Amino acid sequence: MKTTDIVIVGGGPAGLTAAISAASSGAEVTIFERSPQIGGQLIKQTHMFFGSEKQYASHRGFRIADYLLDELNKYKDKVKIYKNATVLGIYEDGVITVDLDGEYIKMLPKRIIVATGANEKIIPFPGNDLPGVYGAGAVQTLMNVYGVKPADKVLMVGAGNIGLIVSYQLMQAGVEVAAIITDLFITGYHVHASKIARMGVPILSGYTVKEIVGEEQVEKAIIAKIDKQWNIIEGTDIEYDVDAVCLSVGLSPLVELLGQANCELRFISELGGYVPIRNLDYRTTNENIFVAGDITGIEEASSAMVEGYIAGLTAAKDIACIHDDYENKISDYRNQLDGLRSGPHSGRLRQGIEKLMGGNK
Amino acid sequence: MFDYNGVPSKEMVSSVFPSEERINKGPVAVIECYKEIPCNPCATSCKVGAIKPFDDINDLPDINHEACTGCSVCVSACPGLAIMVIDGSKSDESIVFRIPYEFSPLPQENEIVDGLDRFGKKICEVIVLRVQNLPYQDKTPIIHVEVAREFLYDFRNIKVVK
């Protein structure tokens, strides 16, 4: 049986920073990443990030993946990275199984950090199974990873940060955005909304998708106003001739592996769905398993990176690989998270974390 | 309406503008960041200390327009593209705007392009004076355009007409 100190499931922002922390503490690390590329969602983020210098604010997301890989490369004798490697299961005896490029392998690590991220949600409406109805993240991957123009004209559903920024990137790719609609109001950063509005794209609040029409694929989107009970108000239809509809209606944490590994989960809608019970060290109720990133609750990549740094330090300490500057680093990272989460924009997130952690956050 | 359509009201816009007296002295930054979000590159990028360092990362930018030199470093550092620089010192008739613009094709110098307001509606035509696209800006070019003075509080974007 292959062994290693720490297995990290997922090579996105949280997984990479967890690996940096663990390797710099002296632990041997193996990263399994499902995709052919390392970096998770970072590699398709062509916009500049928010946050502070410590989270690479004002740098474009795809560059941050490179910075993290460069940093990780300093510990290359301690770190193994496998791409096209899907972790299939975590078993009671601590063995994990992996589909590595079609080969089935088993490994027994001392600790596991699960940083699998999240899935896009979808909403029901007539025609939502037509080709041309996409998740906004999928469209971003098509454009920014594979260089494929996803459509000529798009309706964006959802005005959170993903809906807003993907709309902007669609326009940069030469795709027309007919409108952005949202049920209540803009939930993303207003600076994003303003820069799209001044491109001439209307942001319509209080609307939902009534129906998507098309024979073989999306040909038309019909939206309508909704009342306070979310009922469609008759006579408020607006029709758009579009060949794609992008859904940006939220994300849910990818917790299936944790469920299988007997980590206790709790449903907290403010955090996106089922999330693991965890402590301040990002340890789950299975003492050998730690978590970081969107799997702990949906947030920005800046927070995911900081959580990864923490989980890497704490998991390594657990196997007596203690970073020289452990106490200072942990307290700095906790302060960074508190700062990122303390603003008026993070009210719902704070409520969710409060429900999860009680007073102990 | 700002929460519903993303367009700031005229009152919000004028509240973040420098005085006309300051605008007429030379280039100065206008920061249209109306909501507290965890983000501080405007303050950390400012070389002259005109944008006050943040106590809390969620602070709104606090700019001293008198201390601002209009150097424009913050324009391409702001992840929200919320900053522009305006200069009323060149003429009584017009204002030079420096705005971030991340679309291709870029306009050419001396080209006439559409001037848009905060709704993206065409309000005028403007002439491109300079296209500033240096390595440190990392693909956030700054376009210098000359805009009739009457559009000081309305002009916010350009559309390159091809």
Side-chain angles (χ1 to χ4, degrees):
Chain A
M1 178 88 65
K2 289 180 177 153
T3 60
T4 188
D5 287 340
I6 296 175
V7 155
I8 296 174
V9 185
L16 289 175
T17 54
I20 292 168
S21 266
S24 64
S25 303
E28 263 185 22
V29 177
T30 301
I31 300 176
F32 291 114
E33 165 55 50
R34 171 174 79 169
S35 309
Q37 301 94 0
I38 294 291
Q41 306 306 306
L42 288 174
I43 61 170
K44 59 186 189 183
Q45 309 305 328
T46 52
H47 60 286
M48 291 183 271
F49 272 33
F50 295 79
S52 75
E53 281 169 335
K54 287 181 173 170
Q55 302 100 32
Y56 304 103
S58 168
H59 291 260
R60 297 184 187 279
F62 69 96
R63 298 200 198 285
I64 297 173
D66 291 337
Y67 303 153
L68 296 178
L69 278 172
D70 286 348
E71 182 66 23
L72 199 52
N73 206 28
K74 291 183 188 164
Y75 312 100
K76 57 176 177 242
D77 52 329
K78 292 214 164 288
V79 179
K80 286 199 180 76
I81 301 177
Y82 294 99
K83 303 172 200 176
N84 298 310
T86 304
V87 172
L88 302 169
I90 302 175
Y91 290 82
E92 282 170 0
D93 53 5
V95 171
I96 74 162
T97 57
V98 187
D99 172 354
L100 176 57
D101 248 336
E103 189 192 349
Y104 183 74
I105 63 165
K106 292 193 270 184
M107 188 177 253
L108 181 60
K110 292 177 185 159
R111 297 291 180 273
I112 301 173
I113 300 172
V114 184
T116 43
N119 240 355
E120 296 198 271
K121 288 179 180 169
I122 189 161
I123 50 171
F125 49 79
N128 80 344
D129 57 344
L130 277 171
V133 178
Y134 292 100
V139 156
Q140 202 186 23
T141 301
L142 277 177
M143 288 191 298
N144 298 351
V145 179
Y146 296 105
V148 174
K149 187 179 174 185
D152 291 321
K153 192 171 178 182
V154 168
L155 174 74
M156 178 65 69
V157 181
N161 273 335
I162 296 177
L164 296 171
I165 203 68
V166 173
S167 295
Y168 183 74
Q169 291 171 2
L170 279 161
M171 287 185 272
Q172 287 180 310
V175 177
E176 191 181 340
V177 179
I180 301 174
I181 67 167
T182 171
D183 51 0
L184 292 173
F185 44 78
I186 295 163
T187 52
Y189 293 161
H190 285 66
V191 285
H192 282 323
S194 296
K195 76 185 187 193
I196 293 155
R198 64 180 180 252
M199 298 293 297
V201 175
I203 300 174
L204 304 175
S205 291
Y207 280 84
T208 193
V209 181
K210 188 175 179 186
E211 187 181 359
I212 304 299
V213 182
E215 281 290 320
E216 300 286 323
Q217 61 174 69
V218 174
E219 292 169 21
K220 191 194 288 184
I222 305 170
I223 64 166
K225 266 191 184 162
I226 47 174
D227 64 20
K228 291 208 167 85
Q229 279 74 45
W230 261 263
N231 295 313
I232 284 177
I233 304 172
E234 292 304 324
T236 60
D237 290 10
I238 304 176
E239 290 188 11
Y240 293 106
D241 290 323
V242 292
D243 57 345
V245 175
C246 285
L247 301 180
S248 169
V249 292
L251 299 166
S252 52
L254 274 168
V255 295
E256 289 79 357
L257 282 173
L258 297 178
Q260 188 194 26
N262 283 325
C263 302
E264 199 184 329
L265 304 175
R266 189 174 292 169
F267 187 88
I268 298 182
S269 62
E270 292 90 339
L271 298 179
Y274 279 98
V275 290
I277 306 283
R278 53 133 182 119
N279 66 13
L280 277 176
D281 289 342
Y282 285 82
R283 189 200 297 264
T284 67
T285 55
N286 178 331
E287 62 179 17
N288 292 331
I289 299 182
F290 295 72
V291 284
D294 270 357
I295 194 171
T296 71
I298 306 303
E299 284 183 77
E300 296 293 316
S302 42
S303 303
M305 286 189 279
V306 182
E307 289 185 336
Y309 283 126
I310 294 176
L313 286 177
T314 54
K317 183 176 180 231
D318 226 30
I319 52 169
C321 295
I322 303 172
H323 195 284
D324 295 340
D325 200 19
Y326 180 89
E327 293 299 334
N328 285 330
K329 280 190 173 283
I330 285 280
S331 101
D332 177 41
Y333 294 140
R334 286 187 182 147
N335 286 336
Q336 286 183 43
L337 280 180
D338 285 346
L340 290 169
R341 293 168 175 167
S342 70
H345 199 270
S346 306
R348 231 175 101 77
L349 171 69
R350 287 197 299 276
Q351 281 173 16
I353 294 174
E354 177 71 27
K355 280 188 190 169
L356 180 70
M357 310 290 287
N360 185 30
K361 60 186 185 300
Chain B
M1 280 308 284
F2 191 42
D3 286 341
Y4 300 99
N5 67 7
V7 180
S9 66
K10 282 189 185 307
E11 293 72 33
M12 290 165 70
V13 172
S14 55
S15 75
V16 296
F17 263 63
S19 65
E20 291 222 30
E21 188 190 356
R22 172 63 191 86
I23 294 169
N24 291 337
K25 273 189 200 162
V28 60
V30 179
I31 307 181
E32 287 193 76
C33 189
Y34 302 104
K35 293 266 184 176
E36 292 166 305
I37 54 173
C39 185
N40 69 8
C42 56
T44 56
S45 70
C46 182
K47 306 282 189 261
V48 297
I51 305 174
K52 206 172 108 191
F54 288 16
D55 292 325
D56 178 327
I57 187 150
N58 293 285
D59 285 349
L60 286 180
D62 180 0
I63 179 168
N64 175 357
H65 287 126
E66 298 308 318
C68 174
T69 63
C71 76
S72 308
V73 164
C74 57
V75 174
S76 47
C78 170
L81 304 190
I83 307 179
M84 59 182 182
V85 165
I86 55 176
D87 177 5
S89 68
K90 303 278 191 272
S91 150
D92 293 342
E93 310 292 314
S94 64
I95 303 281
V96 176
F97 280 75
R98 303 177 193 171
I99 57 165
Y101 185 78
E102 294 182 325
F103 290 84
S104 76
L106 287 173
Q108 305 292 311
E109 284 176 19
N110 299 318
E111 188 176 337
I112 307 282
V113 298
D114 289 350
L116 311 181
D117 66 8
R118 286 174 177 76
F119 289 92
K121 196 173 101 234
K122 180 179 173 180
I123 50 171
C124 56
E125 290 185 340
V126 300
I127 183 160
V128 176
L129 302 177
R130 193 179 156 203
V131 177
Q132 184 184 327
N133 191 11
L134 299 165
Y136 85 85
Q137 296 170 241
D138 192 19
K139 300 183 194 298
T140 303
I142 299 174
I143 315 297
H144 300 223
V145 291
E146 190 174 356
V147 180
R149 209 169 251 267
E150 63 187 289
F151 301 113
L152 174 60
Y153 297 103
D154 298 310
F155 172 85
R156 190 60 181 82
N157 195 14
I158 57 167
K159 184 175 183 183
V160 178
V161 194
K162 291 284 170 190

